[in-house]
Amino acid sequence: MPLPSFQLWLALLLLAAACASAVHPRKLARLGGLKRLAASESSSDLPPEYEIHYYRQTLDHFNYKPESYATFQQRYILNYKCWGGANTSSPIFVYTDHFNYKPESYSTFEQRYVINSKYWGGANASAPILVYFGAEAPLDGDLAVIGFLSDNAIRFNALLLYIEHRYYGKSIPFGSREEALKNGSTLGYFNSAQAIADYAEIIIHVKKSFQAENSPVIVIGGSYGGMLASWFRLKYPHIALGALASSAPVLYFDDITPQDGYYSIVTKDFRTIQKSWAVIDEIASKPNGLSILSKKFRTCKPLTDSDELKNYLDSMYSSAAQYNKPPTYPVNIICGGIDSSTNSENDPLSKIVAGLFAYTGNRSCYINAPTNVSETSVGWRWQTCSEMVIPIGRGNDTMFPPKPFDLQSYIQDCKDLYGVPPRPNWVTTYYGGHSIKLILQRFGSNIIFSNGLKDPYSSGGVLENLSDTITAVHTVNGSHCLDILVASKTTDPEWLVAQREVEIKIIDGWINEYYDDLRNQ
Ligand SMILES: *[C@@H]1O[C@H](CO)[C@@H](O)[C@H](O)[C@H]1NC(C)=O
Ligand SMILES: *[C@@H]1O[C@H](CO)[C@@H](O)[C@H](O)[C@H]1NC(C)=O
Ligand SMILES: *[C@@H]1O[C@H](CO)[C@@H](O)[C@H](O)[C@H]1NC(C)=O
Ligand SMILES: *[C@@H]1O[C@H](CO)[C@@H](O)[C@H](O)[C@H]1NC(C)=O
Ligand SMILES: *[C@@H]1O[C@H](CO)[C@@H](O)[C@H](O)[C@H]1NC(C)=O
Ligand SMILES: *[C@@H]1O[C@H](CO)[C@@H](O)[C@H](O)[C@H]1NC(C)=O
Ligand SMILES: *[C@@H]1O[C@H](CO)[C@@H](O)[C@H](O)[C@H]1NC(C)=O
Ligand SMILES: *[C@@H]1O[C@H](CO)[C@@H](O)[C@H](O)[C@H]1NC(C)=O
């Protein structure tokens, strides 16, 4: 195989030869020989339109441990003599375990996966395999709520496979959670590229052990897991025939989606809340204010500042909006509480309190009850501080106080926490996202991006069909990941049943087409 650097070199020379005659003939004569240019002549004999640049290149793109931030000078050459002249600004910031061959990279860990072969049609029938991609949580919680696989196992005669994401649940490298999460040196391997590489290895392993090499694989995920599913189809087309990416905000990176996308949907989902923030601040600023608020909201411990209360309410509204699912519709419960609050002559705080109590149910106390920190909040904090930089901010037109996303302070906070800065542009560099329709209309296939438009994350989702085979299936009243949750014959609204039916038909189409191809090969 020719050396990669030489290939690049050739490509550049060929490009030049195709549109101009000024290329140094001596260089062209060498092309047929496929011989490597001697280092000494490679740069000094270049025609003048070739500009040599050096780019400070990161050594390791697939790790976030401190050493991976080492850089080196990488040479690149430009010839824009024949270029029509375009208006591009391209601050390339390019970075260097599945993705390394140094000895440490061969260390292994036990990764958990779950198989259900009860309904499988078998290898002889090349019956399909439905694979659920675990996301930012232990797998245990997902098995009970993810219905798309189990609900459709019989229909597809499918083998069901659920895989846990590294660093969560029982799939922890470095021997223990404590060790794995200790610092950047061990956390560095905790990223999406490593995670989907894990999935690729496990799917191949499972296919082999079931002798199911010809069985088509459909990968399914929700939210971050949905992003992983869509990216997997693009990166590993030889392993997955198609992907169902439910509520996957693949466009909530860089500046593709307006920062306030998330909160403007939360705002739309609600109607009295805006006024309450100022009232909280006003009361909090009084000498006895915090204790008045603590009493009014029946907090479990006295509030130490008003942010504690405001942050709680913020996440309550956001979570209700995001998970606004039938049959209970949490947004309606909060709004019902707010609207039915009678003890007030337009007192917004009493209304908010009523909303909180309605949502939370009768408790002895509210707001700052003792909780255990979840694996998700610990793990996802790292993920968002390294790779998953999702710039959610708020302008002045939501029901929340403005709070623009401030990348510089975000970077600083992450450095303070982990000693390494996040890489805000890596997701779009590695997976894409900018001009997604333009890019994917002729590349890639067999991806369903499903969304519910009441879900704040749908603001960063793919909401239009990108091609005949990369389709957007959304519902006006749906919430986060609704379509892949366990179906209910009694309470699912018609539009949800219809959404799932559309998805199943599309997947059926992929599989049938694959079987035709398989027979005809
Ligand atoms: C490039 O395009 C941007 C926005 O379209 C414009 O503001 C800028 O002036 C253009 N630059 C050049 C060199 O044409
Ligand atoms: C699968 O096909 C092979 C070869 O055609 C055959 O020997 C085997 O018995 C079949 N297995 C089943 C379960 O049908
Ligand atoms: C992480 O901890 C290990 C052992 O405790 C230490 O050797 C290593 O230098 C630490 N790495 C960083 C980046 O602090
Ligand atoms: C909560 O308590 C109130 C009165 O304290 C009562 O009217 C209401 O029915 C209770 N709600 C629930 C869900 O138990
Ligand atoms: C926190 O975890 C401990 C140990 O697992 C458990 O006993 C306790 O009930 C949990 N507390 C809360 C508030 O969930
Ligand atoms: C909201 O912010 C924009 C941009 O900063 C500003 O132009 C606009 O006047 C503001 N609107 C209100 C109601 O404050
Ligand atoms: C995309 O195409 C599918 C059919 O292939 C259709 O069901 C769906 O409604 C289309 N989505 C949008 C947003 O038009
Ligand atoms: C969405 O929900 C609203 C309010 O319940 C209802 O009026 C509307 O018809 C629903 N829209 C669709 C498309 O189901």
Side-chain angles (χ1 to χ4, degrees), residues 12 108 464 469 480 499:
L12 282 164
T108 58
E464 59 170 337
T469 56
H480 201 55
Q499 182 188 26

Side-chain angles (χ1 to χ4, degrees), residues 197-420:
D198 293 338
Y199 295 160
E201 284 209 5
I202 291 180
I203 293 170
I204 288 174
H205 165 78
V206 168
K207 287 185 86 168
K208 222 181 202 150
S209 47
F210 282 85
Q211 282 149 7
E213 275 83 358
N214 286 331
S215 289
V217 169
I218 307 296
V219 298
I220 295 141
S223 199
Y224 164 58
M227 300 202 271
L228 296 180
S230 68
W231 294 335
F232 190 89
R233 167 65 186 159
L234 295 172
K235 296 285 190 200
Y236 295 91
H238 51 296
I239 300 179
L241 172 68
L244 170 58
S246 175
S247 300
V250 288
L251 303 181
Y252 221 131
F253 294 94
D254 278 353
D255 54 359
I256 304 174
T257 294
Q259 290 181 17
D260 67 356
Y262 185 95
Y263 279 104
S264 35
I265 296 187
V266 180
T267 301
K268 272 193 222 142
D269 288 358
F270 283 95
R271 299 162 267 157
T272 304
I273 291 163
Q274 193 152 14
K275 281 189 239 149
S276 67
W277 308 108
V279 178
I280 292 174
D281 283 335
E282 190 197 320
I283 299 179
S285 69
K286 291 183 182 155
N288 215 13
L290 286 173
S291 79
I292 295 174
L293 287 172
S294 303
K295 208 164 157 193
K296 185 139 191 145
F297 282 89
R298 290 201 229 153
T299 62
C300 299
K301 288 180 301 200
L303 292 166
T304 52
D305 61 46
S306 63
D307 278 349
E308 209 177 342
L309 174 60
K310 288 193 287 185
N311 290 341
Y312 185 92
L313 293 172
D314 177 329
S315 46
M316 176 176 84
Y317 301 134
S318 301
S319 145
Q322 189 170 324
Y323 301 107
N324 189 38
K325 65 187 175 76
T328 52
Y329 297 104
V331 169
N332 298 359
I333 292 177
I334 296 181
C335 291
I338 290 175
D339 292 343
S340 67
S341 165
T342 49
N343 75 342
S344 57
E345 322 59 66
N346 227 354
D347 161 15
L349 269 204
S350 297
K351 287 179 175 290
I352 300 300
V353 170
L356 165 70
F357 291 0
Y359 179 65
T360 317
N362 285 347
R363 296 263 172 92
S364 56
C365 65
Y366 298 86
I367 313 285
N368 43 16
T371 51
N372 289 329
V373 180
S374 71
E375 277 193 42
T376 297
S377 45
V378 175
W380 192 241
R381 188 163 58 209
W382 160 261
Q383 290 196 264
T384 52
C385 256
S386 48
E387 181 184 28
M388 296 291 150
V389 180
I390 301 174
I392 295 179
R394 299 196 295 244
N396 54 9
D397 51 1
T398 74
M399 68 181 193
F400 298 92
K403 194 175 177 196
F405 180 79
D406 177 351
L407 182 62
Q408 289 320 311
S409 70
Y410 185 94
I411 291 174
Q412 193 53 50
D413 290 348
C414 291
K415 270 171 138 168
D416 292 347
L417 269 173
Y418 298 109
V420 294

Side-chain angles (χ1 to χ4, degrees), residues 66-67 179 182-185:
E67 304 92 282
E179 194 61 31
K182 190 189 225 164
N183 64 30
S185 299

Side-chain angles (χ1 to χ4, degrees), residues 1-79:
M1 253 185 9
L3 292 159
S5 57
F6 186 50
Q7 279 181 321
L8 179 67
W9 180 239
L10 274 183
L12 282 164
L13 281 173
L14 283 169
L15 191 73
C19 65
S21 54
V23 176
H24 202 296
R26 203 162 60 86
K27 285 283 175 289
L28 279 178
R30 286 178 172 253
L31 283 178
L34 284 174
K35 248 164 68 188
R36 202 168 180 198
L37 294 171
S40 59
E41 51 177 341
S42 59
S43 55
S44 56
D45 291 352
L46 271 180
E49 64 266 31
Y50 289 85
E51 284 183 8
I52 301 181
H53 296 261
Y54 287 90
Y55 179 72
R56 182 160 285 280
Q57 183 64 276
T58 299
L59 191 57
D60 189 349
H61 292 287
F62 297 100
N63 207 309
Y64 292 82
K65 54 185 188 175
E67 304 92 282
S68 303
Y69 286 76
T71 58
F72 66 99
Q73 294 264 311
Q74 184 165 15
R75 180 169 56 172
Y76 63 98
I77 295 169
L78 285 180
N79 172 0

